[in-house]
Amino acid sequence: MLMNESPPLQDTSRANMSADKSASVFDRRDIMKDPCILPLSACPKVKTNPVPAHSWTSLPRNKTFQRLFLLISALCCAYIGYTQLSGSHYGIDVARVPQRPAPGVEPARQALGPLPPNEHSDLCPQPKALHPRKHRALQEELERVYADETYRLKVYKALGGAIQIPTESYDDLGPVGEDSRWEPFGRLHEYLEQTFPRVFESLNVTRVNTYGIVLHWQGSDKSALPVLMAAHQDVVPIEPATKDEWIHPPYSGFYDGEWIWGRGSCDDKSNLIAGLQAIDALLEQGFKPRRTFVWAYGFDEEASGKQGAGSIAPYLEETYGPDGIALILDEGGGSYGTQYGGDVIFAVPSLSEKGYLDVRIEISAQGGHSSVPPKHTAIGMLSSIIVAIESQPHEASLVRGGGAYNATQCAAVYAPEYPEKLRRLALEAVDSDSALEKLRDGLMEEYPRWEAVLRTTQAVDLVEGGVKVNALPEKVSAVVNHRIAEHSSVAELKQHFTTVTIPVATRLNLSLQAFGHDVSAGSGKGGHVVLSDAFGTGLEPSPVTPMGEHDPSQVFAGTLKATIETAEDYNASGVIVAPLLQLGNTDTRYYWNLTRNIVRYKHLGDLDRFNGAHTVNEAVRATGWIQSIRFFTNFILNCDEHL
């Protein structure tokens, strides 16, 4: 599924398009002036032996004709060189011919992809595949274990058993101990302890807020900062109306010989069980870490994480201190696969997350009998504000150094199949602001989903109002969900929302209170509108994890690359690690004080999910999930040795 011809090399003649055209990489007018500047591979073969003097006697004696003959000869020589350079004479791809760099421009910046995945680019630096050296024998033994069919059937059963316990989390869950819907988590804990007795007996186990689990594996070097891995125990509820649409029941955990079915198979019991399997396998082999490792398992990530990770975070800060963790790995990111065609695998972790805010619009207006309605009812006025909000979306922006920009550069440099216009604009955008804007617009036009990546999104998800058909509504509301772009902030979002609402409130004669402040608008004769943080869950966009040569994230990236390249079904020309931006939020939102090095990634191939998460027929390919266990094992060994 991954084999194809190697992608063509870069066309360096197309680089630096934003610079002055007089300084182009290779001005073909120069060929006419000086054919010696041609690359050696493109120069016509010319004998270098001195020409005997008498040979000129064979030329026509008329001086004018001699000059014309020499001119024609020179033009023929230039033409041969030019056709070799362009490939029209010998069939050579101009993209494979080295070009002379433009003055003042680094050659690495001029490469217009696709480059082979093993070739360096300053625009998308790639890690080297990282393998354990000290623990090599242990890794090789575990590779044999993970390849054994008996072992695989055992771990498939372990995941299926966890799926069978419906640990659903809801937005309206009460506190732990007061809401009976938390009780399935107790059953899950019993199951985990029975399935992984070695883990729960060997590691230090701490329960936080009853259902939060923290595992601590003490290393021998107390000076080395710990590495934290996270997962969550909860799943989104099943929509009752879709229960009959499942191929296998949603909590069956059924293994059909290829897929493991059920809610949580992709999000996130697959990560939970894969991590525990890796720990158990290392313990069984007698591994004793040099570095301390910690696992944090929240239990309400699907419902904002307040009671789970929100309670675990203070415990971790108290135990390890601010900035007391070297690196955090949690679920998230994209999958790995050949999403850009050809035989180059792109793996897409996330180094940052968008921010979050739910804005409630609440309008109070005078009630009465619907037979004598005002010009605008409360529902009508609410609708006017919603229309205004949706008709004025937030500005999109592509920020140099941001997740979207970096991922775009990686695609432009290495993707076998990528729009040539975007490839060229990405290169120009390194230095040109106008090209950066064109690239932003081009991405949204070519890939509509990038609208959600490049701008703060807004979605009206909840509407409430009216109690009877013949009674004017006195209080109505709507909640607008926002995912805040990396270039924006909660404050900027609130200001935008207020600015859009003011003209509508003024026109409808509504008084306005916006996020705790009275704002000049209408007189209030038409009613009153309040804008607020609906659930008190406003969140700024996360810090961006550094990805420098010596940053801890390089250990993750090198492990990722090595794990894919050594998989049993690997059949590709290379792996490109192309970090992007996480559109949703994970439990790591509570862990920012522990470290600036946070990576969000789930090690599953893009063909290893049957139908994605949070929907019907959630299932994971069993053999693909084995790669998750391999990845966690390699990550632990590499962090212990190389971090």
Side-chain angles (χ1 to χ4, degrees), residues 6-25:
S6 298
L9 297 177
Q10 73 275 26
D11 181 355
T12 51
S13 68
R14 302 175 183 177
N16 201 30
M17 303 299 291
S18 62
D20 187 344
K21 291 185 179 179
S22 65
S24 63
V25 174

mmCIF file of all heavy atoms in Angstrom, residues 6-25:
data_model
loop_
_atom_site.group_PDB
_atom_site.id
_atom_site.type_symbol
_atom_site.label_atom_id
_atom_site.label_comp_id
_atom_site.label_asym_id
_atom_site.label_seq_id
_atom_site.Cartn_x
_atom_site.Cartn_y
_atom_site.Cartn_z
ATOM 1 N N SER A 6 10.154 6.604 -6.328
ATOM 2 C CA SER A 6 10.669 7.662 -5.453
ATOM 3 C C SER A 6 10.215 9.009 -5.970
ATOM 4 O O SER A 6 10.160 9.235 -7.182
ATOM 5 C CB SER A 6 12.196 7.609 -5.418
ATOM 6 O OG SER A 6 12.608 6.373 -4.895
ATOM 7 N N PRO A 7 9.860 9.912 -5.059
ATOM 8 C CA PRO A 7 9.414 11.240 -5.496
ATOM 9 C C PRO A 7 10.540 12.003 -6.147
ATOM 10 O O PRO A 7 11.713 11.792 -5.828
ATOM 11 C CB PRO A 7 8.982 11.909 -4.177
ATOM 12 C CG PRO A 7 9.730 11.182 -3.125
ATOM 13 C CD PRO A 7 9.883 9.779 -3.613
ATOM 14 N N PRO A 8 10.251 12.882 -7.097
ATOM 15 C CA PRO A 8 11.300 13.658 -7.760
ATOM 16 C C PRO A 8 11.992 14.597 -6.806
ATOM 17 O O PRO A 8 11.428 15.022 -5.813
ATOM 18 C CB PRO A 8 10.517 14.442 -8.828
ATOM 19 C CG PRO A 8 9.126 14.516 -8.297
ATOM 20 C CD PRO A 8 8.921 13.225 -7.560
ATOM 21 N N LEU A 9 13.231 14.920 -7.148
ATOM 22 C CA LEU A 9 13.973 15.865 -6.326
ATOM 23 C C LEU A 9 13.442 17.267 -6.542
ATOM 24 O O LEU A 9 12.624 17.531 -7.413
ATOM 25 C CB LEU A 9 15.463 15.803 -6.682
ATOM 26 C CG LEU A 9 16.155 14.461 -6.413
ATOM 27 C CD1 LEU A 9 17.589 14.530 -6.881
ATOM 28 C CD2 LEU A 9 16.088 14.103 -4.956
ATOM 29 N N GLN A 10 13.964 18.193 -5.743
ATOM 30 C CA GLN A 10 13.457 19.552 -5.763
ATOM 31 C C GLN A 10 13.825 20.275 -7.037
ATOM 32 O O GLN A 10 14.819 19.979 -7.665
ATOM 33 C CB GLN A 10 14.009 20.335 -4.564
ATOM 34 C CG GLN A 10 15.487 20.711 -4.672
ATOM 35 C CD GLN A 10 16.412 19.620 -4.205
ATOM 36 O OE1 GLN A 10 16.055 18.461 -4.238
ATOM 37 N NE2 GLN A 10 17.582 19.987 -3.783
ATOM 38 N N ASP A 11 12.988 21.228 -7.398
ATOM 39 C CA ASP A 11 13.271 22.131 -8.500
ATOM 40 C C ASP A 11 13.816 23.406 -7.907
ATOM 41 O O ASP A 11 13.091 24.310 -7.562
ATOM 42 C CB ASP A 11 11.998 22.405 -9.298
ATOM 43 C CG ASP A 11 12.266 23.329 -10.474
ATOM 44 O OD1 ASP A 11 13.394 23.810 -10.582
ATOM 45 O OD2 ASP A 11 11.330 23.558 -11.261
ATOM 46 N N THR A 12 15.130 23.484 -7.801
ATOM 47 C CA THR A 12 15.727 24.650 -7.151
ATOM 48 C C THR A 12 15.665 25.879 -8.034
ATOM 49 O O THR A 12 15.937 26.979 -7.570
ATOM 50 C CB THR A 12 17.193 24.365 -6.791
ATOM 51 O OG1 THR A 12 17.855 23.876 -7.959
ATOM 52 C CG2 THR A 12 17.287 23.314 -5.699
ATOM 53 N N SER A 13 15.308 25.693 -9.307
ATOM 54 C CA SER A 13 15.246 26.862 -10.176
ATOM 55 C C SER A 13 14.037 27.725 -9.903
ATOM 56 O O SER A 13 13.925 28.807 -10.421
ATOM 57 C CB SER A 13 15.227 26.395 -11.638
ATOM 58 O OG SER A 13 14.026 25.730 -11.903
ATOM 59 N N ARG A 14 13.114 27.253 -9.047
ATOM 60 C CA ARG A 14 11.878 28.003 -8.798
ATOM 61 C C ARG A 14 11.901 28.734 -7.473
ATOM 62 O O ARG A 14 10.887 29.219 -7.012
ATOM 63 C CB ARG A 14 10.694 27.051 -8.835
ATOM 64 C CG ARG A 14 10.582 26.327 -10.154
ATOM 65 C CD ARG A 14 9.471 25.307 -10.094
ATOM 66 N NE ARG A 14 9.402 24.564 -11.333
ATOM 67 C CZ ARG A 14 8.560 23.560 -11.548
ATOM 68 N NH1 ARG A 14 7.722 23.210 -10.607
ATOM 69 N NH2 ARG A 14 8.548 22.920 -12.683
ATOM 70 N N ALA A 15 13.042 28.779 -6.846
ATOM 71 C CA ALA A 15 13.079 29.297 -5.483
ATOM 72 C C ALA A 15 13.170 30.806 -5.426
ATOM 73 O O ALA A 15 13.443 31.489 -6.398
ATOM 74 C CB ALA A 15 14.280 28.706 -4.766
ATOM 75 N N ASN A 16 12.917 31.291 -4.189
ATOM 76 C CA ASN A 16 13.059 32.715 -3.874
ATOM 77 C C ASN A 16 12.249 33.581 -4.811
ATOM 78 O O ASN A 16 12.709 34.613 -5.272
ATOM 79 C CB ASN A 16 14.541 33.113 -3.926
ATOM 80 C CG ASN A 16 14.799 34.383 -3.137
ATOM 81 O OD1 ASN A 16 14.104 34.661 -2.165
ATOM 82 N ND2 ASN A 16 15.783 35.139 -3.550
ATOM 83 N N MET A 17 11.020 33.141 -5.085
ATOM 84 C CA MET A 17 10.194 33.876 -6.026
ATOM 85 C C MET A 17 9.820 35.258 -5.527
ATOM 86 O O MET A 17 9.450 36.124 -6.303
ATOM 87 C CB MET A 17 8.928 33.071 -6.329
ATOM 88 C CG MET A 17 9.217 31.668 -6.874
ATOM 89 S SD MET A 17 10.130 31.707 -8.413
ATOM 90 C CE MET A 17 8.884 32.367 -9.507
ATOM 91 N N SER A 18 9.892 35.467 -4.197
ATOM 92 C CA SER A 18 9.532 36.771 -3.659
ATOM 93 C C SER A 18 10.662 37.782 -3.793
ATOM 94 O O SER A 18 10.475 38.952 -3.604
ATOM 95 C CB SER A 18 9.147 36.621 -2.185
ATOM 96 O OG SER A 18 10.238 36.143 -1.458
ATOM 97 N N ALA A 19 11.861 37.295 -4.104
ATOM 98 C CA ALA A 19 12.998 38.195 -4.261
ATOM 99 C C ALA A 19 12.934 38.860 -5.637
ATOM 100 O O ALA A 19 12.136 38.515 -6.508
ATOM 101 C CB ALA A 19 14.294 37.415 -4.103
ATOM 102 N N ASP A 20 13.825 39.785 -5.895
ATOM 103 C CA ASP A 20 13.904 40.482 -7.175
ATOM 104 C C ASP A 20 14.167 39.476 -8.285
ATOM 105 O O ASP A 20 15.080 38.666 -8.193
ATOM 106 C CB ASP A 20 15.038 41.516 -7.106
ATOM 107 C CG ASP A 20 15.061 42.396 -8.341
ATOM 108 O OD1 ASP A 20 14.435 42.043 -9.353
ATOM 109 O OD2 ASP A 20 15.723 43.439 -8.283
ATOM 110 N N LYS A 21 13.386 39.501 -9.344
ATOM 111 C CA LYS A 21 13.536 38.527 -10.399
ATOM 112 C C LYS A 21 14.893 38.634 -11.086
ATOM 113 O O LYS A 21 15.363 37.680 -11.696
ATOM 114 C CB LYS A 21 12.415 38.670 -11.415
ATOM 115 C CG LYS A 21 11.062 38.247 -10.872
ATOM 116 C CD LYS A 21 10.018 38.291 -11.951
ATOM 117 C CE LYS A 21 8.674 37.846 -11.400
ATOM 118 N NZ LYS A 21 7.623 37.892 -12.427
ATOM 119 N N SER A 22 15.536 39.771 -10.986
ATOM 120 C CA SER A 22 16.859 39.915 -11.586
ATOM 121 C C SER A 22 17.883 39.069 -10.875
ATOM 122 O O SER A 22 18.962 38.824 -11.382
ATOM 123 C CB SER A 22 17.290 41.383 -11.570
ATOM 124 O OG SER A 22 17.444 41.820 -10.224
ATOM 125 N N ALA A 23 17.559 38.617 -9.657
ATOM 126 C CA ALA A 23 18.477 37.766 -8.890
ATOM 127 C C ALA A 23 17.939 36.349 -8.833
ATOM 128 O O ALA A 23 18.049 35.673 -7.841
ATOM 129 C CB ALA A 23 18.668 38.320 -7.479
ATOM 130 N N SER A 24 17.303 35.891 -9.895
ATOM 131 C CA SER A 24 16.719 34.552 -9.884
ATOM 132 C C SER A 24 17.807 33.506 -9.776
ATOM 133 O O SER A 24 18.966 33.749 -10.056
ATOM 134 C CB SER A 24 15.900 34.325 -11.150
ATOM 135 O OG SER A 24 16.740 34.388 -12.274
ATOM 136 N N VAL A 25 17.411 32.306 -9.369
ATOM 137 C CA VAL A 25 18.376 31.243 -9.152
ATOM 138 C C VAL A 25 19.196 30.972 -10.393
ATOM 139 O O VAL A 25 20.390 30.775 -10.336
ATOM 140 C CB VAL A 25 17.620 29.965 -8.729
ATOM 141 C CG1 VAL A 25 18.571 28.794 -8.647
ATOM 142 C CG2 VAL A 25 16.972 30.186 -7.377
#
